[in-house]
Amino acid sequence: MSYYILDKTNIASYLYQIDTIKEYFENAELSIDEIGDGNLNFVFIIKSKADTSKALILKQAVPYLRCVGEEFPLDKERMTYEIRALQTYSQNTPNYTPKIYHANEMMSVVVMEFLGEHIIMRKGLIASAFYTNFSEHMSDFLAQNLFKTSSLYLNSKSKRSLVDKFNANTQLCKLTEDFVFTFAFMKNETNDAYADNHPLAKELFTDMNFKKSILKLKYKFMTQSDALLHGDLHTGSIMLNCDETYVIDPEFAFVGPFGFDIGALLGNLVMSYTSHVAQEGSSTYSHWVLQTIQEILEKFEIKFLLLWQEQEESALITKSFIDKEYLDIYKNEFMLNILQESIGFAGAKMARRMFGIAGVEDIREIQELTIRDKAIKQTLQIANTFVTSYETIQNTDELINIIKESN
Ligand code: ADP
Ligand code: MG
């Protein structure tokens, strides 16, 4: 089958060529609506007219950037990596991955479970909703997927074939190199107009010590192939309610540094914190956000180490190679390194959201400018410490103190 663009007029006939989907909808007539609030792709909700509780999501990548239009070409093959990542997540963490009903790399299409009782986490955070199971779920998701796609679990051959499966996601990796690690820290036409003449932007763009550390993080991003990453794990890529958590939208997936996804999540939770503090001062909610950050990191470490303990043989470790005492020392150093890198990447992810092309609703949508500036200032202060000092931070208490002591 060669590629064509799906729309409301041809989706039903496309879907009804697929047995699993015919079965799911029991051949009923379908209603089709476009719902995408995303930036890059088209997302449709497909419902059975006979039984509206039956609904699926169809997502298709088009050969351009949806929010800009055809003048910004972007290979539709990005969906290939999203499909492959979703398939890996389905194996490792089915509880946190929408069920996949159909995937076609040629068509850049995936059809998946409709998460009708879940909302985008960023919206929930903005509305001060508490998600008490989130740290349990997310630490699980991160530990399982990062461990099981790394050289601590896979053998040498499988690890290299995993790298091969994702290595050609070049355009989306380049977007991150440009928009996360570069343009947002210099004068650039893609930046938000709010950056123009803003004293905090000027300060950021001329901070050479900060930029030196950003280069270090960017280099890690470009060269370190630890594990399969989601690549864009911010709170807009998570759909949840109090009981369930799902990760969506892994089109930036590639094999990269352990700390990058953890850092994305950490950074976005810190921006929720600074947004709430700027608007309401310190509150029960801002404390819950901090507690969640600490719990995710601590539970992640425990779960990752438990998985490691069960794995005596891998690309890295050969049985009887090293005694337990020294292996434990190595593991502790290893986990500290993941924590430190996560903090560094979190800082980069936070700082780039202040004046770069893509802001976060938590802060950019604050209408009162003095309050928005307060959030930006505090975010940049924390981000600066994260980016320039991540290698000196020894534990999560120190991390939380940096956030608490900022203003
Ligand atoms: P993009 O890659 O264009 O950003 P996303 O995968 O983020 O696309 O999807 C865009 C929006 O569509 C999400 O923010 C969410 O509101 C909705 N969406 C995506 N997948 C699902 C799903 N499985 N169930 C319900 N809504 C979804
Ligand atoms: Mg998205």
Side-chain angles (χ1 to χ4, degrees):
M1 184 190 291
S2 57
Y3 176 84
Y4 60 94
I5 292 183
L6 292 171
D7 58 32
K8 282 173 79 161
T9 66
N10 59 12
I11 282 181
S13 60
Y14 174 78
L15 286 177
Y16 272 160
Q17 299 167 48
I18 303 155
D19 287 341
T20 49
I21 297 194
K22 252 199 284 200
E23 239 165 70
Y24 176 81
F25 285 122
E26 296 169 325
N27 263 321
E29 212 182 313
L30 303 177
S31 78
I32 297 159
D33 287 298
E34 203 209 322
I35 59 159
D37 58 3
N39 292 328
L40 274 71
N41 305 292
F42 284 95
V43 178
F44 297 90
I45 175 163
I46 326 285
K47 283 190 175 156
S48 155
K49 283 192 180 166
D51 174 359
T52 49
S53 70
K54 289 204 167 196
L56 296 176
I57 288 286
L58 181 148
K59 178 171 174 183
Q60 184 179 40
V62 289
Y64 54 86
L65 196 64
R66 183 199 151 167
C67 62
V68 185
E70 296 184 36
E71 66 271 24
F72 196 114
L74 193 66
D75 288 352
K76 62 182 170 45
E77 282 67 30
R78 61 190 184 272
M79 180 54 75
T80 300
Y81 307 102
E82 174 157 350
I83 290 169
R84 293 177 186 178
L86 285 171
Q87 286 165 342
T88 307
Y89 292 162
S90 299
Q91 275 171 12
N92 293 338
T93 48
N95 290 345
Y96 311 119
T97 311
K99 186 168 165 359
I100 307 300
Y101 285 80
H102 164 76
N104 184 327
E105 292 186 1
M106 282 297 294
M107 280 291 288
S108 295
V109 162
V110 64
V111 178
M112 66 186 131
E113 175 183 1
F114 169 57
L115 302 168
E117 287 161 12
H118 310 78
I119 63 164
I120 290 286
M121 185 180 198
R122 190 181 306 287
K123 309 255 181 221
L125 291 170
I126 289 171
S128 305
F130 291 90
Y131 297 106
T132 47
N133 294 310
F134 179 70
S135 62
E136 195 63 49
H137 294 167
M138 220 45 216
S139 54
D140 226 23
F141 174 88
L142 289 166
Q144 292 283 346
N145 285 307
L146 291 176
F147 184 81
K148 290 188 173 163
T149 59
S150 76
S151 303
L152 306 177
Y153 176 79
L154 299 173
N155 65 37
S156 181
K157 189 167 171 233
S158 326
K159 175 64 191 303
R160 288 185 190 284
S161 79
L162 181 81
V163 173
D164 264 357
K165 263 174 77 178
F166 289 91
N167 203 30
N169 200 4
T170 47
Q171 282 191 331
L172 274 69
C173 287
K174 179 72 162 80
L175 285 181
T176 303
E177 289 160 21
D178 288 344
F179 292 105
V180 176
F181 292 107
T182 311
F183 298 156
F185 307 131
M186 64 193 290
K187 218 172 151 47
N188 186 278
E189 76 228 10
T190 64
N191 287 334
D192 191 53
Y194 199 55
D196 299 343
N197 305 316
H198 198 296
L200 290 170
K202 191 164 178 220
E203 209 177 299
L204 179 67
F205 296 175
T206 54
D207 186 341
M208 297 302 149
N209 191 42
F210 173 84
K211 289 195 183 189
K212 180 166 77 69
S213 297
I214 286 289
L215 286 182
K216 225 178 195 174
L217 290 161
K218 181 177 176 183
Y219 190 75
K220 280 182 195 291
F221 177 85
M222 296 189 300
T223 59
Q224 205 171 297
S225 304
D226 293 329
L228 177 64
L229 300 179
H230 177 284
D232 196 23
L233 193 56
H234 56 85
T235 52
S237 296
I238 295 168
M239 294 191 72
L240 81 180
N241 59 32
C242 292
D243 304 318
E244 294 177 318
T245 305
Y246 289 92
V247 171
I248 62 164
D249 200 14
E251 67 193 317
F252 283 79
F254 78 111
V255 179
F258 277 125
F260 191 73
D261 281 352
I262 307 171
L265 186 64
L266 166 61
N268 277 268
L269 290 171
V270 174
M271 289 187 281
S272 170
Y273 172 87
T274 55
S275 162
H276 280 283
V277 169
Q279 294 178 87
E280 302 130 31
S282 172
S283 65
T284 317
Y285 196 71
S286 65
H287 281 107
W288 174 79
V289 175
L290 286 189
Q291 188 193 330
T292 300
I293 289 173
Q294 192 158 19
E295 281 176 13
I296 291 171
L297 296 170
E298 289 181 354
K299 289 178 189 199
F300 166 77
E301 178 167 330
I302 292 168
K303 290 173 184 180
F304 192 96
L305 283 171
L306 266 175
L307 289 166
W308 199 345
Q309 204 180 317
E310 288 162 15
Q311 194 66 24
E312 291 188 343
E313 205 51 71
S314 65
L316 182 73
I317 308 282
T318 301
K319 245 185 190 170
S320 315
F321 176 75
I322 186 171
D323 71 20
K324 188 177 174 322
E325 186 192 347
Y326 279 84
L327 182 57
D328 285 345
I329 296 171
Y330 176 74
K331 287 180 178 178
N332 285 337
E333 289 171 3
F334 200 97
M335 297 317 290
L336 179 59
N337 190 46
I338 296 181
L339 175 69
Q340 291 175 339
E341 278 183 14
S342 303
I343 295 169
F345 286 125
K349 289 263 186 181
M350 290 159 61
R352 79 100 174 187
R353 293 287 198 171
M354 296 303 101
F355 298 111
I357 189 171
V360 288
E361 194 183 331
D362 318 52
I363 292 176
R364 225 170 253 187
E365 291 301 314
I366 299 175
Q367 296 305 315
E368 181 63 58
L369 292 186
T370 54
I371 297 178
R372 191 196 301 177
D373 281 348
K374 190 165 178 268
I376 293 176
K377 182 166 171 272
Q378 188 174 8
T379 304
L380 285 174
Q381 190 194 334
I382 299 169
N384 194 294
T385 310
F386 282 6
V387 167
T388 57
S389 316
Y390 67 93
E391 290 162 307
T392 67
I393 297 169
Q394 296 301 311
N395 53 52
T396 59
D397 285 336
E398 282 182 33
L399 162 74
I400 297 297
N401 280 334
I402 291 170
I403 305 169
K404 271 192 189 155
E405 285 162 12
S406 64
N407 51 57

mmCIF file of all heavy atoms in Angstrom, residues 37-38 59 119-125 134 230 232-240 246-250 264-265 268-269 353 360-362:
data_model
loop_
_atom_site.group_PDB
_atom_site.id
_atom_site.type_symbol
_atom_site.label_atom_id
_atom_site.label_comp_id
_atom_site.label_asym_id
_atom_site.label_seq_id
_atom_site.Cartn_x
_atom_site.Cartn_y
_atom_site.Cartn_z
ATOM 1 N N ASP A 37 -5.176 18.421 19.201
ATOM 2 C CA ASP A 37 -4.752 19.725 19.706
ATOM 3 C C ASP A 37 -3.232 19.773 19.682
ATOM 4 O O ASP A 37 -2.606 20.654 20.204
ATOM 5 C CB ASP A 37 -5.281 19.951 21.128
ATOM 6 C CG ASP A 37 -4.821 18.866 22.080
ATOM 7 O OD1 ASP A 37 -4.042 17.973 21.654
ATOM 8 O OD2 ASP A 37 -5.222 18.901 23.258
ATOM 9 N N GLY A 38 -2.663 18.740 19.071
ATOM 10 C CA GLY A 38 -1.203 18.639 19.027
ATOM 11 C C GLY A 38 -0.642 19.544 17.942
ATOM 12 O O GLY A 38 -1.385 20.228 17.234
ATOM 13 N N LYS A 59 -4.211 8.182 14.488
ATOM 14 C CA LYS A 59 -3.244 9.269 14.367
ATOM 15 C C LYS A 59 -2.420 9.039 13.111
ATOM 16 O O LYS A 59 -1.915 7.940 12.888
ATOM 17 C CB LYS A 59 -2.353 9.295 15.620
ATOM 18 C CG LYS A 59 -1.274 10.367 15.582
ATOM 19 C CD LYS A 59 -0.569 10.512 16.925
ATOM 20 C CE LYS A 59 0.599 11.487 16.800
ATOM 21 N NZ LYS A 59 1.365 11.617 18.039
ATOM 22 N N ILE A 119 -7.275 12.786 31.056
ATOM 23 C CA ILE A 119 -6.969 14.090 30.456
ATOM 24 C C ILE A 119 -5.459 14.261 30.337
ATOM 25 O O ILE A 119 -4.681 13.539 30.964
ATOM 26 C CB ILE A 119 -7.574 15.284 31.235
ATOM 27 C CG1 ILE A 119 -6.985 15.384 32.644
ATOM 28 C CG2 ILE A 119 -9.087 15.212 31.269
ATOM 29 C CD1 ILE A 119 -7.236 16.730 33.296
ATOM 30 N N ILE A 120 -5.084 15.212 29.502
ATOM 31 C CA ILE A 120 -3.674 15.552 29.370
ATOM 32 C C ILE A 120 -3.188 16.076 30.724
ATOM 33 O O ILE A 120 -3.801 16.954 31.327
ATOM 34 C CB ILE A 120 -3.498 16.630 28.271
ATOM 35 C CG1 ILE A 120 -3.777 16.028 26.884
ATOM 36 C CG2 ILE A 120 -2.134 17.280 28.319
ATOM 37 C CD1 ILE A 120 -2.702 15.105 26.335
ATOM 38 N N MET A 121 -2.079 15.513 31.205
ATOM 39 C CA MET A 121 -1.632 15.833 32.557
ATOM 40 C C MET A 121 -1.399 17.329 32.770
ATOM 41 O O MET A 121 -1.697 17.857 33.845
ATOM 42 C CB MET A 121 -0.358 15.064 32.881
ATOM 43 C CG MET A 121 0.054 15.287 34.313
ATOM 44 S SD MET A 121 1.546 14.406 34.749
ATOM 45 C CE MET A 121 1.378 14.457 36.534
ATOM 46 N N ARG A 122 -0.865 18.011 31.750
ATOM 47 C CA ARG A 122 -0.582 19.439 31.946
ATOM 48 C C ARG A 122 -1.858 20.202 32.328
ATOM 49 O O ARG A 122 -1.836 21.083 33.179
ATOM 50 C CB ARG A 122 0.044 20.043 30.680
ATOM 51 C CG ARG A 122 0.583 21.446 30.920
ATOM 52 C CD ARG A 122 1.187 22.097 29.692
ATOM 53 N NE ARG A 122 2.223 21.343 29.025
ATOM 54 C CZ ARG A 122 3.465 21.164 29.475
ATOM 55 N NH1 ARG A 122 3.834 21.694 30.632
ATOM 56 N NH2 ARG A 122 4.336 20.475 28.786
ATOM 57 N N LYS A 123 -2.958 19.835 31.704
ATOM 58 C CA LYS A 123 -4.240 20.496 32.012
ATOM 59 C C LYS A 123 -4.639 20.195 33.456
ATOM 60 O O LYS A 123 -5.133 21.076 34.174
ATOM 61 C CB LYS A 123 -5.353 19.997 31.089
ATOM 62 C CG LYS A 123 -4.993 20.051 29.628
ATOM 63 C CD LYS A 123 -5.695 21.195 28.912
ATOM 64 C CE LYS A 123 -5.326 21.205 27.439
ATOM 65 N NZ LYS A 123 -5.091 22.525 26.888
ATOM 66 N N GLY A 124 -4.448 18.945 33.863
ATOM 67 C CA GLY A 124 -4.770 18.560 35.233
ATOM 68 C C GLY A 124 -3.910 19.307 36.242
ATOM 69 O O GLY A 124 -4.402 19.783 37.279
ATOM 70 N N LEU A 125 -2.634 19.450 35.932
ATOM 71 C CA LEU A 125 -1.734 20.164 36.845
ATOM 72 C C LEU A 125 -2.137 21.636 36.950
ATOM 73 O O LEU A 125 -2.139 22.220 38.040
ATOM 74 C CB LEU A 125 -0.288 20.057 36.356
ATOM 75 C CG LEU A 125 0.384 18.678 36.437
ATOM 76 C CD1 LEU A 125 1.715 18.692 35.685
ATOM 77 C CD2 LEU A 125 0.609 18.247 37.887
ATOM 78 N N PHE A 134 0.414 8.725 40.592
ATOM 79 C CA PHE A 134 1.259 9.064 39.452
ATOM 80 C C PHE A 134 2.730 8.669 39.659
ATOM 81 O O PHE A 134 3.370 8.114 38.766
ATOM 82 C CB PHE A 134 1.142 10.562 39.142
ATOM 83 C CG PHE A 134 2.002 10.997 37.998
ATOM 84 C CD1 PHE A 134 1.707 10.598 36.708
ATOM 85 C CD2 PHE A 134 3.126 11.780 38.213
ATOM 86 C CE1 PHE A 134 2.517 10.979 35.637
ATOM 87 C CE2 PHE A 134 3.937 12.170 37.152
ATOM 88 C CZ PHE A 134 3.631 11.765 35.873
ATOM 89 N N HIS A 230 11.564 8.073 25.024
ATOM 90 C CA HIS A 230 10.353 8.648 24.447
ATOM 91 C C HIS A 230 10.753 9.876 23.630
ATOM 92 O O HIS A 230 10.266 10.112 22.533
ATOM 93 C CB HIS A 230 9.412 9.026 25.603
ATOM 94 C CG HIS A 230 8.157 9.700 25.182
ATOM 95 N ND1 HIS A 230 8.118 11.021 24.783
ATOM 96 C CD2 HIS A 230 6.873 9.252 25.097
ATOM 97 C CE1 HIS A 230 6.862 11.348 24.478
ATOM 98 N NE2 HIS A 230 6.093 10.293 24.662
ATOM 99 N N ASP A 232 10.252 13.048 24.228
ATOM 100 C CA ASP A 232 9.483 14.287 24.432
ATOM 101 C C ASP A 232 8.509 14.079 25.600
ATOM 102 O O ASP A 232 7.325 14.391 25.502
ATOM 103 C CB ASP A 232 8.713 14.615 23.142
ATOM 104 C CG ASP A 232 8.195 16.048 23.109
ATOM 105 O OD1 ASP A 232 8.739 16.910 23.811
ATOM 106 O OD2 ASP A 232 7.224 16.302 22.365
ATOM 107 N N LEU A 233 9.049 13.557 26.691
ATOM 108 C CA LEU A 233 8.188 13.099 27.793
ATOM 109 C C LEU A 233 7.816 14.248 28.740
ATOM 110 O O LEU A 233 8.164 14.253 29.915
ATOM 111 C CB LEU A 233 8.877 11.951 28.561
ATOM 112 C CG LEU A 233 8.003 11.157 29.524
ATOM 113 C CD1 LEU A 233 6.783 10.573 28.844
ATOM 114 C CD2 LEU A 233 8.812 10.054 30.185
ATOM 115 N N HIS A 234 7.106 15.225 28.197
ATOM 116 C CA HIS A 234 6.620 16.318 29.046
ATOM 117 C C HIS A 234 5.204 15.973 29.513
ATOM 118 O O HIS A 234 4.644 14.935 29.129
ATOM 119 C CB HIS A 234 6.683 17.645 28.281
ATOM 120 C CG HIS A 234 5.942 17.635 26.994
ATOM 121 N ND1 HIS A 234 4.594 17.888 26.929
ATOM 122 C CD2 HIS A 234 6.340 17.384 25.725
ATOM 123 C CE1 HIS A 234 4.201 17.807 25.669
ATOM 124 N NE2 HIS A 234 5.232 17.499 24.922
ATOM 125 N N THR A 235 4.607 16.854 30.293
ATOM 126 C CA THR A 235 3.307 16.503 30.879
ATOM 127 C C THR A 235 2.169 16.576 29.856
ATOM 128 O O THR A 235 1.055 16.163 30.150
ATOM 129 C CB THR A 235 2.998 17.397 32.103
ATOM 130 O OG1 THR A 235 3.156 18.778 31.703
ATOM 131 C CG2 THR A 235 3.936 17.106 33.252
ATOM 132 N N GLY A 236 2.462 17.068 28.637
ATOM 133 C CA GLY A 236 1.486 17.019 27.552
ATOM 134 C C GLY A 236 1.510 15.681 26.817
ATOM 135 O O GLY A 236 0.669 15.430 25.954
ATOM 136 N N SER A 237 2.461 14.830 27.134
ATOM 137 C CA SER A 237 2.540 13.494 26.513
ATOM 138 C C SER A 237 2.051 12.413 27.478
ATOM 139 O O SER A 237 2.343 11.230 27.280
ATOM 140 C CB SER A 237 3.984 13.181 26.106
ATOM 141 O OG SER A 237 4.425 14.067 25.115
ATOM 142 N N ILE A 238 1.352 12.842 28.507
ATOM 143 C CA ILE A 238 0.827 11.891 29.493
ATOM 144 C C ILE A 238 -0.672 12.136 29.620
ATOM 145 O O ILE A 238 -1.112 13.288 29.731
ATOM 146 C CB ILE A 238 1.531 12.099 30.853
ATOM 147 C CG1 ILE A 238 3.020 11.757 30.732
ATOM 148 C CG2 ILE A 238 0.873 11.254 31.955
ATOM 149 C CD1 ILE A 238 3.862 12.192 31.894
ATOM 150 N N MET A 239 -1.463 11.064 29.549
ATOM 151 C CA MET A 239 -2.907 11.187 29.792
ATOM 152 C C MET A 239 -3.241 10.336 31.012
ATOM 153 O O MET A 239 -2.778 9.203 31.138
ATOM 154 C CB MET A 239 -3.711 10.721 28.572
ATOM 155 C CG MET A 239 -3.515 11.627 27.361
ATOM 156 S SD MET A 239 -4.682 11.291 26.009
ATOM 157 C CE MET A 239 -6.216 11.951 26.704
ATOM 158 N N LEU A 240 -4.022 10.892 31.923
ATOM 159 C CA LEU A 240 -4.230 10.168 33.175
ATOM 160 C C LEU A 240 -5.529 10.543 33.869
ATOM 161 O O LEU A 240 -6.233 11.474 33.470
ATOM 162 C CB LEU A 240 -3.033 10.420 34.114
ATOM 163 C CG LEU A 240 -2.970 11.729 34.933
ATOM 164 C CD1 LEU A 240 -1.705 11.746 35.761
ATOM 165 C CD2 LEU A 240 -3.095 12.972 34.135
ATOM 166 N N TYR A 246 -1.229 6.959 31.268
ATOM 167 C CA TYR A 246 -0.807 6.477 29.948
ATOM 168 C C TYR A 246 0.178 7.449 29.317
ATOM 169 O O TYR A 246 0.009 8.660 29.417
ATOM 170 C CB TYR A 246 -2.012 6.349 29.009
ATOM 171 C CG TYR A 246 -2.915 5.205 29.367
ATOM 172 C CD1 TYR A 246 -3.998 5.393 30.228
ATOM 173 C CD2 TYR A 246 -2.670 3.931 28.866
ATOM 174 C CE1 TYR A 246 -4.824 4.338 30.577
ATOM 175 C CE2 TYR A 246 -3.489 2.869 29.205
ATOM 176 C CZ TYR A 246 -4.561 3.072 30.058
ATOM 177 O OH TYR A 246 -5.367 2.019 30.396
ATOM 178 N N VAL A 247 1.174 6.886 28.651
ATOM 179 C CA VAL A 247 2.132 7.712 27.917
ATOM 180 C C VAL A 247 1.772 7.646 26.437
ATOM 181 O O VAL A 247 1.564 6.562 25.893
ATOM 182 C CB VAL A 247 3.574 7.204 28.155
ATOM 183 C CG1 VAL A 247 4.559 7.905 27.231
ATOM 184 C CG2 VAL A 247 3.949 7.419 29.621
ATOM 185 N N ILE A 248 1.664 8.819 25.795
ATOM 186 C CA ILE A 248 1.336 8.881 24.361
ATOM 187 C C ILE A 248 2.427 9.654 23.609
ATOM 188 O O ILE A 248 3.321 10.230 24.227
ATOM 189 C CB ILE A 248 -0.041 9.554 24.113
ATOM 190 C CG1 ILE A 248 -0.040 11.016 24.611
ATOM 191 C CG2 ILE A 248 -1.167 8.779 24.775
ATOM 192 C CD1 ILE A 248 -1.197 11.858 24.066
ATOM 193 N N ASP A 249 2.349 9.641 22.309
ATOM 194 C CA ASP A 249 3.095 10.554 21.438
ATOM 195 C C ASP A 249 4.635 10.412 21.432
ATOM 196 O O ASP A 249 5.344 11.415 21.488
ATOM 197 C CB ASP A 249 2.709 12.001 21.834
ATOM 198 C CG ASP A 249 3.026 12.999 20.730
ATOM 199 O OD1 ASP A 249 3.289 12.570 19.595
ATOM 200 O OD2 ASP A 249 3.018 14.213 21.018
ATOM 201 N N PRO A 250 5.146 9.157 21.306
ATOM 202 C CA PRO A 250 6.619 9.018 21.337
ATOM 203 C C PRO A 250 7.282 9.167 19.962
ATOM 204 O O PRO A 250 8.162 8.393 19.624
ATOM 205 C CB PRO A 250 6.812 7.597 21.894
ATOM 206 C CG PRO A 250 5.608 6.850 21.428
ATOM 207 C CD PRO A 250 4.473 7.844 21.279
ATOM 208 N N ALA A 264 12.990 15.410 31.304
ATOM 209 C CA ALA A 264 11.845 16.104 30.693
ATOM 210 C C ALA A 264 10.683 16.157 31.682
ATOM 211 O O ALA A 264 10.062 17.205 31.894
ATOM 212 C CB ALA A 264 11.421 15.385 29.421
ATOM 213 N N LEU A 265 10.440 15.031 32.295
ATOM 214 C CA LEU A 265 9.342 14.954 33.255
ATOM 215 C C LEU A 265 9.622 15.848 34.469
ATOM 216 O O LEU A 265 8.778 16.645 34.892
ATOM 217 C CB LEU A 265 9.187 13.487 33.679
ATOM 218 C CG LEU A 265 8.011 13.184 34.558
ATOM 219 C CD1 LEU A 265 6.707 13.455 33.823
ATOM 220 C CD2 LEU A 265 8.066 11.718 35.004
ATOM 221 N N ASN A 268 9.308 19.564 33.619
ATOM 222 C CA ASN A 268 7.918 20.008 33.452
ATOM 223 C C ASN A 268 7.168 20.052 34.774
ATOM 224 O O ASN A 268 6.316 20.916 34.978
ATOM 225 C CB ASN A 268 7.206 19.145 32.403
ATOM 226 C CG ASN A 268 7.505 19.651 31.002
ATOM 227 O OD1 ASN A 268 6.778 20.467 30.459
ATOM 228 N ND2 ASN A 268 8.629 19.215 30.436
ATOM 229 N N LEU A 269 7.504 19.151 35.690
ATOM 230 C CA LEU A 269 6.880 19.231 37.018
ATOM 231 C C LEU A 269 7.397 20.452 37.776
ATOM 232 O O LEU A 269 6.630 21.120 38.480
ATOM 233 C CB LEU A 269 7.139 17.936 37.809
ATOM 234 C CG LEU A 269 6.379 16.704 37.286
ATOM 235 C CD1 LEU A 269 6.848 15.433 37.985
ATOM 236 C CD2 LEU A 269 4.864 16.877 37.470
ATOM 237 N N ARG A 353 12.000 26.473 27.509
ATOM 238 C CA ARG A 353 10.562 26.747 27.428
ATOM 239 C C ARG A 353 10.220 28.204 27.734
ATOM 240 O O ARG A 353 9.097 28.645 27.527
ATOM 241 C CB ARG A 353 9.808 25.862 28.423
ATOM 242 C CG ARG A 353 9.827 24.374 28.100
ATOM 243 C CD ARG A 353 8.953 24.046 26.925
ATOM 244 N NE ARG A 353 8.631 22.620 26.869
ATOM 245 C CZ ARG A 353 7.742 22.103 26.038
ATOM 246 N NH1 ARG A 353 7.088 22.878 25.192
ATOM 247 N NH2 ARG A 353 7.504 20.814 26.030
ATOM 248 N N VAL A 360 5.391 26.529 27.652
ATOM 249 C CA VAL A 360 4.427 25.662 28.337
ATOM 250 C C VAL A 360 3.249 26.521 28.774
ATOM 251 O O VAL A 360 3.417 27.649 29.235
ATOM 252 C CB VAL A 360 5.041 24.915 29.555
ATOM 253 C CG1 VAL A 360 5.985 23.827 29.082
ATOM 254 C CG2 VAL A 360 5.730 25.858 30.530
ATOM 255 N N GLU A 361 2.079 25.939 28.606
ATOM 256 C CA GLU A 361 0.837 26.634 28.946
ATOM 257 C C GLU A 361 0.856 27.085 30.415
ATOM 258 O O GLU A 361 0.372 28.173 30.737
ATOM 259 C CB GLU A 361 -0.302 25.647 28.694
ATOM 260 C CG GLU A 361 -1.686 26.199 28.655
ATOM 261 C CD GLU A 361 -2.712 25.065 28.458
ATOM 262 O OE1 GLU A 361 -2.389 24.031 27.837
ATOM 263 O OE2 GLU A 361 -3.834 25.229 28.969
ATOM 264 N N ASP A 362 1.463 26.262 31.285
ATOM 265 C CA ASP A 362 1.510 26.579 32.719
ATOM 266 C C ASP A 362 2.042 28.003 32.956
ATOM 267 O O ASP A 362 1.613 28.688 33.873
ATOM 268 C CB ASP A 362 2.452 25.625 33.484
ATOM 269 C CG ASP A 362 2.320 24.178 33.064
ATOM 270 O OD1 ASP A 362 2.402 23.909 31.837
ATOM 271 O OD2 ASP A 362 2.140 23.321 33.910
#
